Amino acid sequence: VMDDNFHLRSMRREVYRACQDFLVTAPDAIISFSIAYISAPLNVCLRRNDSREGKQHIPSHVITRMDATIEPPDESKTYASFEKFHLTINNATDNFIGVKTFHDIEKCISESLQSPIQAKKECSVEEIAQMEQERERQRLETFKCKSQRIDLLLRRLVGAVGRVDKKRSKEANETRKDIIERVRIENNVGSMSDECIVKQFASKMLGIEASDDWQAMNTPLTSAIQSSFQEFLSHNRVD
């Protein structure tokens, strides 16, 4: 049993492949792979985190970022057939563990044992070529989706500025264009987080150096940007 966030599919795939590699040296072993995905709304996670103290308390931006990037198990995704056996446990309430939950977990594990992991096999030249083509297709698709997400986020932030100070709408839109152009030139769309985009935009509009300190500024503009960002995350969650 591995108890961790494993919020990205690639992290879970590494565990699955490690099992495949082990089976090469231990062909008689029987290993199954199943996932229990414990889900809770962002607001519930933040509320529970607020009640924690010391090392148990996690910075809220870490939770928000993970909520925006988490990839729930889904065997229909490309190269995700290994996630066939999974269940989602709704953790929205404090008493989510019950008899049915244990029964569902037992059923999921039992079904996965009926289809144990097979040892990793060598890929043919054709299969390797196909995988490379698919990876490139996914890379381009991710680039396109991420670029669209950044533009959508920035447009929402521009709107937030306009609602606070209409006279600065043009300036906000120019800032949007500058950020998009800089991201394009530096070719780092894939590594640019939502938080980083907001930080660049807010710092520019507030006239300060790019840092997380902008969130501490108590101004109507700061509140508008923060509120708009949270609304964006709640309506544009990454699957």
Side-chain angles (χ1 to χ4, degrees), residues 26-60:
D28 294 331
I30 298 177
I31 304 176
S32 67
F33 187 86
S34 53
I35 304 169
Y37 171 54
I38 301 178
S39 174
L42 176 59
N43 65 312
V44 173
C45 294
L46 292 173
R47 173 172 55 79
R48 288 173 176 166
N49 187 57
D50 287 340
S51 66
R52 301 188 182 109
E53 297 179 353
K55 294 182 178 180
Q56 291 186 329
H57 184 271
I58 302 171
S60 59

Side-chain angles (χ1 to χ4, degrees), residues 150-151 153-162 168-180 182 194-211 214 221-222 224-226 228-229:
I150 289 174
D151 185 56
L153 169 57
L154 286 170
R155 288 182 183 278
R156 183 178 286 269
L157 298 179
V158 169
V161 172
R168 300 191 67 187
S169 294
K170 183 177 180 180
E171 178 189 354
N173 194 45
E174 289 301 318
T175 298
R176 175 187 70 84
K177 294 179 180 178
D178 289 344
I179 293 175
I180 289 177
R182 184 163 60 252
D194 294 336
E195 289 79 4
C196 185
I197 293 296
V198 174
K199 180 169 64 176
Q200 290 186 34
F201 181 87
S203 299
K204 180 72 174 179
M205 296 306 302
L206 295 169
I208 61 176
E209 292 294 326
S211 69
W214 72 270
L221 184 56
T222 303
I225 292 176
Q226 289 178 327
S228 183
F229 181 40

Side-chain angles (χ1 to χ4, degrees), residues 213-224:
D213 293 342
W214 72 270
Q215 299 182 69
M217 298 182 67
N218 186 21
T219 68
L221 184 56
T222 303
S223 299

Side-chain angles (χ1 to χ4, degrees), residues 2-91:
M2 300 185 71
D3 179 15
D4 206 337
N5 288 322
F6 291 112
H7 61 292
L8 299 180
R9 184 165 293 107
S10 58
M11 298 175 178
R12 303 191 290 270
R13 186 182 294 111
E14 287 183 8
V15 176
Y16 185 85
R17 287 176 174 170
C19 294
Q20 287 184 307
D21 291 339
F22 175 78
L23 286 168
V24 172
T25 59
D28 294 331
I30 298 177
I31 304 176
S32 67
F33 187 86
S34 53
I35 304 169
Y37 171 54
I38 301 178
S39 174
L42 176 59
N43 65 312
V44 173
C45 294
L46 292 173
R47 173 172 55 79
R48 288 173 176 166
N49 187 57
D50 287 340
S51 66
R52 301 188 182 109
E53 297 179 353
K55 294 182 178 180
Q56 291 186 329
H57 184 271
I58 302 171
S60 59
H61 72 271
V62 173
I63 297 176
T64 301
R65 182 172 65 247
M66 184 170 290
D67 177 75
T69 59
I70 194 167
E71 297 174 337
D74 184 355
E75 69 273 20
S76 68
K77 299 290 186 180
T78 305
Y79 299 129
S81 58
F82 69 95
E83 295 188 320
K84 178 179 180 181
F85 301 104
H86 70 270
L87 75 155
T88 298
I89 301 174
N90 186 356
N91 187 17

Side-chain angles (χ1 to χ4, degrees), residues 108-193:
C108 182
I109 294 175
S110 177
E111 290 177 348
S112 68
L113 284 169
Q114 300 303 312
S115 299
I117 298 173
Q118 300 299 310
K120 189 175 181 180
K121 299 178 181 179
E122 292 293 333
C123 297
S124 67
V125 175
E126 291 77 10
E127 288 174 328
I128 293 175
Q130 289 177 352
M131 287 190 290
E132 289 295 336
Q133 291 176 359
E134 179 61 23
R135 275 194 285 267
E136 178 62 14
R137 185 193 68 77
Q138 285 189 341
R139 187 189 69 80
L140 294 175
E141 183 177 329
T142 299
F143 180 88
K144 179 180 178 181
C145 292
K146 185 63 176 179
S147 297
Q148 292 174 338
R149 182 180 178 85
I150 289 174
D151 185 56
L152 184 62
L153 169 57
L154 286 170
R155 288 182 183 278
R156 183 178 286 269
L157 298 179
V158 169
V161 172
R163 288 191 292 274
V164 174
D165 187 350
K166 191 173 182 180
K167 294 180 179 179
R168 300 191 67 187
S169 294
K170 183 177 180 180
E171 178 189 354
N173 194 45
E174 289 301 318
T175 298
R176 175 187 70 84
K177 294 179 180 178
D178 289 344
I179 293 175
I180 289 177
E181 181 64 13
R182 184 163 60 252
V183 169
R184 185 189 67 80
I185 293 175
E186 296 176 357
N187 193 28
N188 60 352
V189 171
S191 61
M192 189 66 69
S193 67

